[in-house]
Amino acid sequence: MSIKQLWSRKFLGNRYILWLLFITNLLGTVYGYIWYGNQLKYTWQEGLIWQLIFVPDSPTASLFFTIALLLLLYPPRRMLGMLAQQLIEALAVVTSVKYGIWAVAIIFAGQWQGDVLVWQDWMLVVSHTAMAVEALLYVRLFHFRRAALAVAIAWTLINDTVDYTFGLYPWLPSVLQDDLGAVEIFTFSLTLFSGLLAWIAWRFARKGHALR
């Protein structure tokens, strides 16, 4: 199948494809929250309940995308639901691209500094790459506007700030602990890059739709 066919609204909007991706992403989301289990437990035991929402970054991104797929299958009819859909879609794109790239970059940065990769690492590389790719592909079917995109970028920057102010960032490979400053700069920069990439994909999708 060509890239053009993959990009087509007919293929992406096929209900069988949507259901397949919904189920796959839902299972991945559940696995992701289990993966963060120890960090969530530690945060809870420390009594920092308000911080729990900021701990599981990738699973929450996957959750946004999973809900966005469900809303494509069952579109909301009321204005409030449509506005919520736009925000969820914008959050899905920005966070899926951001944490998809982030996880892969951190895994290979750890390997470059001597970390030995195991099969789980390769599984994470494949799944997080898919997160970023599918989010950009589905911009073509999403309904969000610039305001929702701006809110999504702002929320992700707030998440970054909480992560690196209170030490809630995803646990890093031990070899990268002395590079925390560089990781923090990369993380904030990647949020802005992901927002820009989402905007470019949005503009491209709107242009393509206008030409149909």
Side-chain angles (χ1 to χ4, degrees):
M1 182 174 291
S2 69
I3 297 296
K4 184 176 181 180
Q5 288 174 314
L6 280 173
W7 177 246
S8 71
R9 294 175 63 86
K10 181 178 180 180
F11 176 80
L12 295 175
N14 182 284
R15 293 186 72 83
Y16 292 108
I17 298 297
L18 289 173
W19 274 115
L20 176 63
L21 288 177
F22 172 80
I23 294 169
T24 302
N25 279 273
L26 180 61
L27 293 175
T29 299
V30 172
Y31 178 80
Y33 281 112
I34 294 172
W35 180 275
Y36 273 87
N38 289 334
Q39 194 170 354
L40 286 166
K41 182 179 179 181
Y42 172 81
T43 305
W44 176 273
Q45 290 175 340
E46 290 296 307
L48 305 172
I49 309 304
W50 69 272
Q51 296 180 0
L52 286 173
I53 192 174
F54 297 102
V55 172
D57 293 331
S58 293
T60 302
S62 179
L63 178 62
F64 285 138
F65 187 75
T66 302
I67 297 173
L69 290 174
L70 186 63
L71 292 173
L72 288 179
L73 286 163
Y74 300 102
R77 305 275 182 196
R78 298 180 182 276
M79 180 60 68
L80 185 60
M82 293 177 183
L83 291 174
Q85 180 182 25
Q86 290 185 31
L87 180 57
I88 290 169
E89 289 172 347
L91 285 165
V93 176
V94 173
T95 58
S96 293
V97 172
K98 186 264 182 71
Y99 294 116
I101 296 174
W102 188 93
V104 173
I106 292 300
I107 289 170
F108 285 125
Q111 182 191 41
W112 186 64
Q113 294 203 28
D115 196 29
V116 178
L117 301 190
V118 295
W119 71 267
Q120 291 97 331
D121 295 309
W122 293 108
M123 178 269 294
L124 290 173
V125 167
V126 172
S127 62
H128 282 76
T129 300
M131 278 177 60
V133 171
E134 67 182 2
L136 290 173
L137 282 174
Y138 270 86
V139 171
R140 186 168 177 80
L141 268 65
F142 286 165
H143 309 82
F144 67 84
R145 298 294 183 264
R146 283 174 289 190
L149 183 58
V151 172
I153 294 170
W155 166 256
T156 310
L157 288 171
I158 291 171
N159 194 109
D160 294 341
T161 302
V162 173
D163 275 0
Y164 291 92
T165 300
F166 297 97
L168 299 181
Y169 51 85
W171 288 344
L172 301 170
S174 58
V175 294
L176 294 181
Q177 291 298 332
D178 57 348
D179 296 308
L180 183 57
V183 172
E184 180 178 356
I185 293 171
F186 171 68
T187 300
F188 276 90
S189 301
L190 188 55
T191 294
L192 298 176
F193 173 77
S194 299
L196 175 62
L197 203 57
W199 180 79
I200 291 172
W202 174 77
R203 290 286 296 173
F204 185 71
R206 281 173 60 89
K207 182 180 179 181
H209 183 68
L211 293 175
R212 289 179 61 86

